[in-house]
Short mmCIF file of all heavy atoms in Angstrom, two decimals:
data_model
loop_
_atom_site.label_atom_id
_atom_site.label_comp_id
_atom_site.label_asym_id
_atom_site.label_seq_id
_atom_site.Cartn_x
_atom_site.Cartn_y
_atom_site.Cartn_z
N ASN A 82 -6.14 -2.71 5.62
CA ASN A 82 -6.02 -1.34 4.97
C ASN A 82 -6.75 -0.21 5.88
O ASN A 82 -7.55 0.54 5.43
CB ASN A 82 -6.92 -1.49 3.65
CG ASN A 82 -6.68 -0.39 2.65
OD1 ASN A 82 -5.58 0.05 2.57
ND2 ASN A 82 -7.74 -0.02 2.00
N LEU A 83 -6.27 -0.21 7.11
CA LEU A 83 -6.87 0.74 8.17
C LEU A 83 -5.67 1.64 8.51
O LEU A 83 -4.51 1.22 8.85
CB LEU A 83 -7.42 0.06 9.26
CG LEU A 83 -8.38 0.86 10.15
CD1 LEU A 83 -9.66 1.14 9.38
CD2 LEU A 83 -8.54 0.18 11.54
N THR A 84 -5.92 2.95 8.73
CA THR A 84 -4.93 3.85 9.05
C THR A 84 -4.58 3.75 10.62
O THR A 84 -5.46 3.60 11.46
CB THR A 84 -5.37 5.39 8.90
OG1 THR A 84 -5.68 5.54 7.44
CG2 THR A 84 -4.30 6.34 9.24
N ILE A 85 -3.31 3.84 10.87
CA ILE A 85 -2.71 3.84 12.21
C ILE A 85 -2.26 5.29 12.54
O ILE A 85 -1.31 5.73 11.74
CB ILE A 85 -1.72 2.84 12.60
CG1 ILE A 85 -2.28 1.46 12.41
CG2 ILE A 85 -1.11 3.05 13.91
CD1 ILE A 85 -1.26 0.37 12.53
N TYR A 86 -2.83 6.05 13.44
CA TYR A 86 -2.37 7.39 13.77
C TYR A 86 -1.52 7.23 15.03
O TYR A 86 -1.93 6.77 16.00
CB TYR A 86 -3.67 8.41 14.07
CG TYR A 86 -4.45 8.59 12.93
CD1 TYR A 86 -5.58 7.74 12.56
CD2 TYR A 86 -4.10 9.52 11.92
CE1 TYR A 86 -6.38 8.00 11.48
CE2 TYR A 86 -4.95 9.72 10.80
CZ TYR A 86 -6.14 9.00 10.54
OH TYR A 86 -6.86 9.24 9.44
N TYR A 87 -0.29 7.88 14.92
CA TYR A 87 0.64 7.63 16.01
C TYR A 87 1.39 9.00 16.33
O TYR A 87 2.53 8.95 17.01
CB TYR A 87 1.67 6.51 15.84
CG TYR A 87 2.49 6.79 14.62
CD1 TYR A 87 3.84 7.25 14.71
CD2 TYR A 87 1.99 6.44 13.26
CE1 TYR A 87 4.52 7.43 13.58
CE2 TYR A 87 2.80 6.63 12.10
CZ TYR A 87 3.96 7.03 12.35
OH TYR A 87 4.89 7.27 11.17
N SER A 88 0.76 10.18 16.05
CA SER A 88 1.44 11.40 16.40
C SER A 88 1.60 11.55 17.83
O SER A 88 0.71 11.31 18.69
CB SER A 88 0.58 12.62 15.85
OG SER A 88 1.04 13.80 16.32
N GLN A 89 2.80 11.90 18.25
CA GLN A 89 3.05 12.26 19.59
C GLN A 89 2.21 13.50 20.14
O GLN A 89 1.93 13.55 21.32
CB GLN A 89 4.64 12.58 19.96
CG GLN A 89 5.45 11.36 19.72
CD GLN A 89 5.26 10.21 20.62
OE1 GLN A 89 5.05 10.44 21.82
NE2 GLN A 89 5.12 9.00 20.19
N ARG A 90 1.81 14.37 19.25
CA ARG A 90 1.09 15.60 19.59
C ARG A 90 -0.35 15.18 19.43
O ARG A 90 -1.30 16.14 19.55
CB ARG A 90 1.49 16.69 18.72
CG ARG A 90 2.89 17.16 19.08
CD ARG A 90 3.22 18.49 18.37
NE ARG A 90 3.08 18.43 16.86
CZ ARG A 90 2.93 19.56 16.23
NH1 ARG A 90 3.02 20.81 16.76
NH2 ARG A 90 2.85 19.45 14.82
N GLN A 91 -0.67 14.03 19.04
CA GLN A 91 -2.12 13.52 18.94
C GLN A 91 -2.89 14.31 17.79
O GLN A 91 -4.01 14.90 18.01
CB GLN A 91 -2.94 13.72 20.26
CG GLN A 91 -2.34 12.77 21.37
CD GLN A 91 -3.11 12.81 22.69
OE1 GLN A 91 -4.23 13.36 22.76
NE2 GLN A 91 -2.61 12.24 23.63
N LEU A 92 -2.20 14.48 16.75
CA LEU A 92 -2.71 15.19 15.51
C LEU A 92 -3.03 14.14 14.36
O LEU A 92 -2.14 13.38 14.15
CB LEU A 92 -1.79 16.15 15.12
CG LEU A 92 -1.41 17.34 16.26
CD1 LEU A 92 -0.42 18.35 15.53
CD2 LEU A 92 -2.63 18.03 16.56
N LYS A 93 -4.04 14.44 13.78
CA LYS A 93 -4.43 13.50 12.60
C LYS A 93 -3.54 13.91 11.37
O LYS A 93 -3.37 13.08 10.51
CB LYS A 93 -5.93 13.77 12.28
CG LYS A 93 -6.44 12.88 10.97
CD LYS A 93 -7.82 13.11 10.68
CE LYS A 93 -8.20 12.32 9.43
NZ LYS A 93 -9.51 12.62 8.89
N SER A 94 -3.13 15.16 11.39
CA SER A 94 -2.43 15.63 10.18
C SER A 94 -1.02 15.24 10.08
O SER A 94 -0.38 15.62 9.14
CB SER A 94 -2.56 17.14 10.17
OG SER A 94 -2.02 17.72 11.30
N GLU A 95 -0.45 14.42 11.10
CA GLU A 95 0.94 14.08 10.96
C GLU A 95 1.12 12.57 11.47
O GLU A 95 0.30 12.25 12.29
CB GLU A 95 1.83 15.08 11.79
CG GLU A 95 1.48 15.14 13.23
CD GLU A 95 2.21 16.13 13.93
OE1 GLU A 95 2.70 17.13 13.43
OE2 GLU A 95 2.42 16.05 15.28
N GLU A 96 2.13 11.95 11.07
CA GLU A 96 2.57 10.67 11.51
C GLU A 96 1.32 9.67 11.51
O GLU A 96 0.73 9.26 12.51
CB GLU A 96 3.10 10.80 12.94
CG GLU A 96 4.44 11.52 13.00
CD GLU A 96 5.04 11.61 14.32
OE1 GLU A 96 4.22 11.90 15.15
OE2 GLU A 96 6.22 11.52 14.39
N PHE A 97 1.09 9.06 10.34
CA PHE A 97 0.19 8.02 10.20
C PHE A 97 0.56 7.20 9.00
O PHE A 97 1.08 7.52 8.02
CB PHE A 97 -1.25 8.59 9.90
CG PHE A 97 -1.38 9.51 8.78
CD1 PHE A 97 -1.87 9.04 7.53
CD2 PHE A 97 -1.16 10.92 8.87
CE1 PHE A 97 -1.98 9.93 6.44
CE2 PHE A 97 -1.22 11.67 7.86
CZ PHE A 97 -1.66 11.29 6.67
N ARG A 98 0.23 5.91 9.16
CA ARG A 98 0.52 4.80 8.31
C ARG A 98 -0.61 3.81 8.16
O ARG A 98 -1.39 3.71 9.08
CB ARG A 98 1.78 4.12 8.54
CG ARG A 98 3.07 4.93 8.47
CD ARG A 98 3.47 5.26 7.08
NE ARG A 98 4.70 5.94 6.96
CZ ARG A 98 4.73 7.27 7.05
NH1 ARG A 98 3.80 7.94 7.21
NH2 ARG A 98 5.99 7.88 6.92
N GLY A 99 -0.66 3.21 7.03
CA GLY A 99 -1.78 2.24 6.70
C GLY A 99 -1.37 0.98 6.38
O GLY A 99 -1.22 0.60 5.14
N PRO A 100 -0.88 0.07 7.30
CA PRO A 100 -0.58 -1.33 6.98
C PRO A 100 -1.77 -2.10 6.18
O PRO A 100 -2.93 -1.80 6.42
CB PRO A 100 -0.32 -1.91 8.34
CG PRO A 100 -0.09 -0.84 9.27
CD PRO A 100 -1.00 0.22 8.84
N ASP A 101 -1.35 -3.01 5.30
CA ASP A 101 -2.31 -3.67 4.62
C ASP A 101 -3.15 -4.72 5.61
O ASP A 101 -4.33 -4.81 5.54
CB ASP A 101 -1.71 -4.67 3.55
CG ASP A 101 -1.27 -3.65 2.36
OD1 ASP A 101 -2.00 -2.86 2.02
OD2 ASP A 101 -0.14 -4.00 1.94
N PHE A 102 -2.36 -5.24 6.59
CA PHE A 102 -3.10 -6.11 7.61
C PHE A 102 -2.25 -6.02 8.83
O PHE A 102 -1.05 -6.04 8.88
CB PHE A 102 -3.09 -7.62 7.10
CG PHE A 102 -3.59 -8.56 8.14
CD1 PHE A 102 -4.95 -8.77 8.32
CD2 PHE A 102 -2.71 -9.38 8.78
CE1 PHE A 102 -5.38 -9.58 9.29
CE2 PHE A 102 -3.20 -10.25 9.76
CZ PHE A 102 -4.55 -10.32 9.93
N PHE A 103 -2.99 -5.94 10.11
CA PHE A 103 -2.25 -5.97 11.27
C PHE A 103 -3.16 -6.43 12.36
O PHE A 103 -4.48 -6.45 12.21
CB PHE A 103 -1.79 -4.53 11.63
CG PHE A 103 -2.91 -3.47 11.98
CD1 PHE A 103 -3.37 -3.32 13.17
CD2 PHE A 103 -3.38 -2.67 11.02
CE1 PHE A 103 -4.41 -2.40 13.56
CE2 PHE A 103 -4.46 -1.81 11.13
CZ PHE A 103 -4.83 -1.61 12.54
N VAL A 104 -2.45 -6.87 13.42
CA VAL A 104 -3.22 -7.54 14.55
C VAL A 104 -2.60 -6.88 15.85
O VAL A 104 -1.35 -6.75 16.06
CB VAL A 104 -2.95 -8.96 14.64
CG1 VAL A 104 -3.78 -9.52 15.86
CG2 VAL A 104 -3.51 -9.63 13.36
N VAL A 105 -3.54 -6.39 16.76
CA VAL A 105 -3.12 -5.87 18.09
C VAL A 105 -3.73 -6.86 19.09
O VAL A 105 -4.76 -7.15 19.15
CB VAL A 105 -3.59 -4.43 18.24
CG1 VAL A 105 -3.17 -4.01 19.61
CG2 VAL A 105 -3.20 -3.52 17.17
N LEU A 106 -2.85 -7.29 19.96
CA LEU A 106 -3.18 -8.20 21.05
C LEU A 106 -3.38 -7.38 22.37
O LEU A 106 -2.82 -6.41 22.54
CB LEU A 106 -2.22 -9.30 21.20
CG LEU A 106 -1.76 -10.24 19.98
CD1 LEU A 106 -0.66 -11.14 20.41
CD2 LEU A 106 -3.01 -10.94 19.53
N GLY A 107 -4.13 -8.05 23.29
CA GLY A 107 -4.46 -7.48 24.58
C GLY A 107 -5.31 -6.22 24.51
O GLY A 107 -5.07 -5.37 25.32
N CYS A 108 -6.29 -6.20 23.73
CA CYS A 108 -7.14 -5.09 23.56
C CYS A 108 -8.56 -5.51 23.34
O CYS A 108 -8.88 -6.67 23.19
CB CYS A 108 -6.77 -4.12 22.39
SG CYS A 108 -6.84 -4.91 20.77
N GLU A 109 -9.44 -4.55 23.39
CA GLU A 109 -10.84 -4.97 23.23
C GLU A 109 -11.32 -5.25 21.81
O GLU A 109 -10.85 -4.56 20.92
CB GLU A 109 -11.82 -3.86 23.77
CG GLU A 109 -13.35 -4.23 23.68
CD GLU A 109 -14.11 -2.97 24.23
OE1 GLU A 109 -13.67 -2.05 24.67
OE2 GLU A 109 -15.38 -3.18 24.20
N LYS A 110 -11.97 -6.24 21.56
CA LYS A 110 -12.43 -6.69 20.26
C LYS A 110 -13.70 -5.89 19.94
O LYS A 110 -14.81 -6.26 20.33
CB LYS A 110 -12.61 -8.13 20.00
CG LYS A 110 -12.99 -8.62 18.68
CD LYS A 110 -13.15 -10.20 18.66
CE LYS A 110 -13.50 -10.53 17.36
NZ LYS A 110 -13.72 -12.09 17.23
N LYS A 111 -13.66 -4.80 19.17
CA LYS A 111 -14.78 -4.02 18.73
C LYS A 111 -14.53 -3.33 17.41
O LYS A 111 -13.25 -3.12 16.91
CB LYS A 111 -15.06 -3.16 19.84
CG LYS A 111 -14.05 -1.94 20.00
CD LYS A 111 -14.42 -0.96 21.10
CE LYS A 111 -13.38 0.00 21.26
NZ LYS A 111 -13.71 1.14 22.24
N PRO A 112 -15.59 -2.96 16.72
CA PRO A 112 -15.27 -2.20 15.47
C PRO A 112 -14.55 -0.82 15.78
O PRO A 112 -14.83 -0.19 16.79
CB PRO A 112 -16.65 -1.84 14.83
CG PRO A 112 -17.51 -2.99 15.61
CD PRO A 112 -16.96 -3.14 16.89
N ARG A 113 -13.77 -0.32 14.73
CA ARG A 113 -13.09 0.95 14.95
C ARG A 113 -13.04 1.63 13.58
O ARG A 113 -12.97 0.89 12.55
CB ARG A 113 -11.63 0.72 15.50
CG ARG A 113 -11.59 0.25 16.92
CD ARG A 113 -10.21 -0.06 17.31
NE ARG A 113 -9.89 -0.32 18.74
CZ ARG A 113 -10.39 -1.45 19.26
NH1 ARG A 113 -10.82 -2.49 18.79
NH2 ARG A 113 -9.92 -1.59 20.68
N LYS A 114 -13.03 2.96 13.54
CA LYS A 114 -12.85 3.71 12.28
C LYS A 114 -11.37 3.76 11.80
O LYS A 114 -11.10 3.91 10.65
CB LYS A 114 -13.37 5.17 12.59
CG LYS A 114 -14.93 5.15 12.95
CD LYS A 114 -15.26 6.67 13.32
CE LYS A 114 -16.63 6.65 13.84
NZ LYS A 114 -17.05 8.03 14.23
N SER A 115 -10.45 3.62 12.85
CA SER A 115 -9.05 3.56 12.68
C SER A 115 -8.46 3.17 13.87
O SER A 115 -9.19 3.01 15.02
CB SER A 115 -8.64 4.93 12.10
OG SER A 115 -8.99 5.95 13.16
N TRP A 116 -7.17 3.02 13.80
CA TRP A 116 -6.41 2.66 15.11
C TRP A 116 -5.60 3.93 15.61
O TRP A 116 -4.72 4.38 14.78
CB TRP A 116 -5.50 1.48 14.92
CG TRP A 116 -4.82 1.00 16.17
CD1 TRP A 116 -3.61 1.40 16.75
CD2 TRP A 116 -5.46 0.14 17.22
NE1 TRP A 116 -3.41 0.81 17.89
CE2 TRP A 116 -4.48 0.04 18.23
CE3 TRP A 116 -6.59 -0.49 17.22
CZ2 TRP A 116 -4.69 -0.75 19.40
CZ3 TRP A 116 -6.88 -1.34 18.33
CH2 TRP A 116 -5.88 -1.48 19.32
N VAL A 117 -6.01 4.51 16.61
CA VAL A 117 -5.41 5.69 17.20
C VAL A 117 -4.59 5.45 18.41
O VAL A 117 -5.19 5.14 19.39
CB VAL A 117 -6.49 6.79 17.33
CG1 VAL A 117 -5.85 8.02 17.78
CG2 VAL A 117 -7.43 6.96 16.26
N ILE A 118 -3.30 5.40 18.24
CA ILE A 118 -2.47 4.99 19.30
C ILE A 118 -2.78 5.71 20.73
O ILE A 118 -2.82 5.06 21.74
CB ILE A 118 -0.93 5.31 18.98
CG1 ILE A 118 -0.51 4.50 17.75
CG2 ILE A 118 -0.05 4.90 20.24
CD1 ILE A 118 -0.70 3.01 17.90
N TRP A 119 -3.03 7.00 20.74
CA TRP A 119 -3.29 7.78 21.98
C TRP A 119 -4.74 7.33 22.54
O TRP A 119 -4.98 7.86 23.62
CB TRP A 119 -3.08 9.19 21.81
CG TRP A 119 -3.95 9.92 20.85
CD1 TRP A 119 -5.21 10.58 21.04
CD2 TRP A 119 -3.61 10.25 19.37
NE1 TRP A 119 -5.59 10.98 19.93
CE2 TRP A 119 -4.75 10.92 18.83
CE3 TRP A 119 -2.45 9.88 18.59
CZ2 TRP A 119 -4.61 11.24 17.64
CZ3 TRP A 119 -2.41 10.29 17.31
CH2 TRP A 119 -3.50 10.98 16.79
N GLN A 120 -5.54 6.77 21.78
CA GLN A 120 -6.85 6.26 22.28
C GLN A 120 -6.76 4.82 22.69
O GLN A 120 -7.86 4.28 23.14
CB GLN A 120 -7.99 6.54 21.28
CG GLN A 120 -8.20 7.98 21.00
CD GLN A 120 -9.12 8.24 19.86
OE1 GLN A 120 -9.85 7.34 19.45
NE2 GLN A 120 -9.24 9.51 19.52
N GLU A 121 -5.74 4.14 22.43
CA GLU A 121 -5.61 2.76 22.68
C GLU A 121 -4.45 2.30 23.70
O GLU A 121 -3.86 1.26 23.57
CB GLU A 121 -5.37 1.97 21.35
CG GLU A 121 -6.47 2.24 20.29
CD GLU A 121 -7.83 1.55 20.55
OE1 GLU A 121 -7.83 0.71 21.57
OE2 GLU A 121 -8.76 1.75 19.86
N ASP A 122 -4.41 3.14 24.65
CA ASP A 122 -3.35 3.00 25.71
C ASP A 122 -1.97 2.77 25.14
O ASP A 122 -1.21 2.08 25.73
CB ASP A 122 -3.75 1.76 26.57
CG ASP A 122 -5.05 1.84 27.29
OD1 ASP A 122 -5.34 2.96 27.70
OD2 ASP A 122 -5.79 0.79 27.42
N GLY A 123 -1.70 3.38 24.07
CA GLY A 123 -0.39 3.40 23.54
C GLY A 123 0.02 2.12 22.80
O GLY A 123 1.18 2.00 22.60
N LYS A 124 -0.88 1.32 22.47
CA LYS A 124 -0.72 -0.02 21.95
C LYS A 124 -0.44 0.18 20.42
O LYS A 124 -1.17 0.78 19.69
CB LYS A 124 -1.81 -1.08 22.21
CG LYS A 124 -1.96 -1.51 23.56
CD LYS A 124 -3.07 -2.57 23.72
CE LYS A 124 -3.18 -3.04 25.19
NZ LYS A 124 -1.92 -3.88 25.52
N TYR A 125 0.57 -0.50 20.02
CA TYR A 125 0.94 -0.66 18.47
C TYR A 125 0.65 -2.05 18.02
O TYR A 125 0.59 -3.08 18.93
CB TYR A 125 2.42 -0.38 18.23
CG TYR A 125 2.69 1.22 18.27
CD1 TYR A 125 3.09 1.80 19.62
CD2 TYR A 125 2.70 2.02 17.17
CE1 TYR A 125 3.34 3.20 19.63
CE2 TYR A 125 2.90 3.36 17.22
CZ TYR A 125 3.19 3.92 18.35
OH TYR A 125 3.54 5.26 18.49
N PRO A 126 0.59 -2.28 16.87
CA PRO A 126 0.33 -3.69 16.29
C PRO A 126 1.45 -4.74 16.89
O PRO A 126 2.60 -4.28 16.83
CB PRO A 126 0.40 -3.47 14.73
CG PRO A 126 -0.04 -2.16 14.59
CD PRO A 126 0.61 -1.34 15.66
N ASN A 127 0.98 -5.90 17.04
CA ASN A 127 1.96 -6.98 17.44
C ASN A 127 2.42 -7.64 16.19
O ASN A 127 3.58 -8.26 16.15
CB ASN A 127 1.20 -8.01 18.24
CG ASN A 127 0.96 -7.48 19.74
OD1 ASN A 127 -0.02 -6.62 19.81
ND2 ASN A 127 1.63 -7.96 20.66
#
Side-chain angles (χ1 to χ4, degrees):
N82 199 38
L83 198 76
T84 302
I85 297 175
Y86 295 96
Y87 60 99
S88 167
Q89 293 295 315
R90 297 192 297 164
Q91 301 187 5
L92 302 178
K93 181 187 177 185
S94 57
E95 61 184 27
E96 296 184 320
F97 56 95
R98 290 292 182 270
D101 289 319
F102 174 78
F103 67 90
V104 181
V105 184
L106 303 178
C108 63
E109 184 180 358
K110 184 181 178 182
K111 65 178 183 180
R113 290 169 170 85
K114 300 171 184 177
S115 57
W116 186 266
V117 186
I118 298 300
W119 59 89
Q120 294 174 10
E121 302 287 354
D122 298 325
K124 288 183 178 294
Y125 285 87
N127 291 74

